[in-house]
Amino acid sequence: MPETENDKAFDALAEQYDLMVDWPRRLKREAPFFRSLFDEFAVRSVADVACGTGHHAAMFHSWGLKVEASDVSAAMIDRCQTLHGEPNGLTWCCRSFTEPSNGTLVDAVVCLGNSLALAESKQAAKRAIGAMVGIVRPEGIGVIQVLNRNAIVLNGVAVKRVRRGRIAGRDTLLIKTMHELNGRLATTVLDVDLDSDPAMYHAKTASMQDLGRRDLEAMISDAGGSVLSVCGAYSGDAFDESASGDMILVWQRN
Ligand SMILES: C[S@@+](CC[C@H](N)C(=O)[O-])C[C@H]1O[C@@H](n2cnc3c(N)ncnc32)[C@H](O)[C@@H]1O
């Protein structure tokens, strides 16, 4: 259940999130990475924690895998159910990634889209990694993808995306920015209702933990996992701390 401001930020953003992400393009870029990893480790079941609007979970299910996807936001889980339904082998659950799951152990767990950086503190990120390692069978695997904070240089507010579309039937302009907030990296989504005059708007801000490679490697190791590889992109390029846009850690439960 939501407890912090970050937990609640996405409750207002379920529909907006899909307007901001070009899903066909994103999944086309990311799918080969997961395909080859899941083949290599004979993955048949996956948990997607912080699943957002559920597009990865639905893609994994379409590959014949058993998928349990969870998110702290009830609005996100509602949207997952509306968009993807609940066919046999695909289940949705409203739960924080810091909470342990009582379900059966899975072959793989993923936490994507910089979601882990939304943890309220480094302690909470550590608890989340503990919970992830705890839901994977021995020798099962995990994937954590966060933005590489070191390669993000901000000079004031950076506009990351501008989209216009219909949200709840209203002509809407969305502007996603990245900026600093109390010394931390943060993202704000400004949502402008163009059907109202004067235009009504509201903004949602989520701040992010600065999670570096060493932090995550130590948390995974403390939780009983071993990092197998660190990539800087879904193409599989090696991670370069000063230049890579992403940090993608693949780990295995001991
Ligand atoms: C940027 S979205 C990423 C969603 C999806 N994984 C993706 O790759 O597109 C971040 C998601 O993390 C979820 N989230 C934030 N804090 C969480 C927590 N403590 N436990 C579980 N989910 C959380 C939000 O509700 C949101 O759906």
Side-chain angles (χ1 to χ4, degrees):
M1 286 293 117
E3 282 166 10
T4 68
E5 280 311 305
N6 268 4
D7 286 358
K8 285 180 280 191
F10 281 84
D11 260 337
L13 291 178
E15 264 191 88
Q16 284 85 338
Y17 193 64
D18 280 335
L19 188 56
M20 283 187 293
V21 178
D22 180 344
W23 280 108
R25 188 156 167 256
R26 180 169 170 197
L27 292 181
K28 191 172 172 209
R29 194 177 64 233
E30 298 180 9
F33 178 91
F34 291 105
R35 272 270 196 206
S36 87
L37 189 69
F38 290 175
D39 283 351
E40 185 183 347
F41 289 91
V43 169
R44 304 296 310 145
S45 55
V46 184
D48 181 353
V49 304
C51 65
T53 49
H55 293 267
H56 290 95
M59 178 178 75
F60 299 150
H61 180 257
S62 78
W63 295 348
L65 307 180
K66 187 167 183 257
V67 182
E68 195 233 45
S70 55
D71 198 282
V72 75
S73 158
M76 284 292 187
I77 293 299
D78 275 357
R79 184 152 174 86
C80 290
Q81 284 164 333
T82 305
L83 285 178
H84 314 293
E86 212 149 352
N88 200 16
L90 178 61
T91 53
W92 308 104
C93 172
C94 187
R95 186 177 63 239
S96 170
F97 48 35
T98 55
E99 291 170 37
S101 142
N102 303 321
T104 48
L105 298 182
V106 292
D107 297 328
V109 58
V110 300
C111 183
L112 311 173
N114 203 36
S115 301
L116 189 62
L118 295 169
E120 60 174 315
S121 61
K122 285 204 175 173
Q123 275 312 311
K126 189 172 161 74
R127 280 203 305 283
I129 287 181
M132 281 183 232
V133 175
I135 58 176
V136 171
R137 64 161 169 81
E139 297 187 8
I141 56 162
V143 179
I144 295 171
Q145 179 260 321
V146 288
L147 294 175
N148 175 23
R149 176 69 184 92
N150 282 316
I152 300 173
V153 180
L154 286 175
N155 255 328
V157 176
V159 175
K160 303 305 283 184
R161 207 153 294 158
V162 179
R163 291 278 186 278
R164 183 175 179 176
R166 298 203 83 77
I167 303 273
R170 319 263 317 160
D171 187 15
T172 305
L173 180 69
L174 295 177
I175 302 170
K176 181 182 175 190
T177 63
M178 206 170 258
H179 52 95
E180 289 205 4
L181 182 69
N182 301 328
R184 273 168 62 173
L185 191 65
T187 179
T188 293
V189 177
L190 176 65
D191 172 328
V192 186
D193 178 351
L194 299 173
D195 279 340
S196 59
D197 184 15
M200 304 268 288
Y201 62 90
H202 85 288
K204 272 280 166 197
T205 298
S207 61
M208 298 174 218
Q209 291 302 319
D210 184 1
L211 296 171
R213 176 180 183 158
R214 305 277 165 259
D215 294 320
L216 293 180
E217 284 176 337
M219 289 176 193
I220 290 166
S221 161
D222 289 351
S226 307
V227 173
L228 300 178
S229 63
V230 186
C231 297
Y234 281 104
S235 56
D237 289 356
F239 178 66
D240 175 344
E241 192 134 26
S242 63
S244 297
D246 287 317
M247 177 164 56
I248 307 168
L249 288 100
V250 178
W251 50 267
Q252 186 167 38
R253 180 169 172 177
N254 301 331

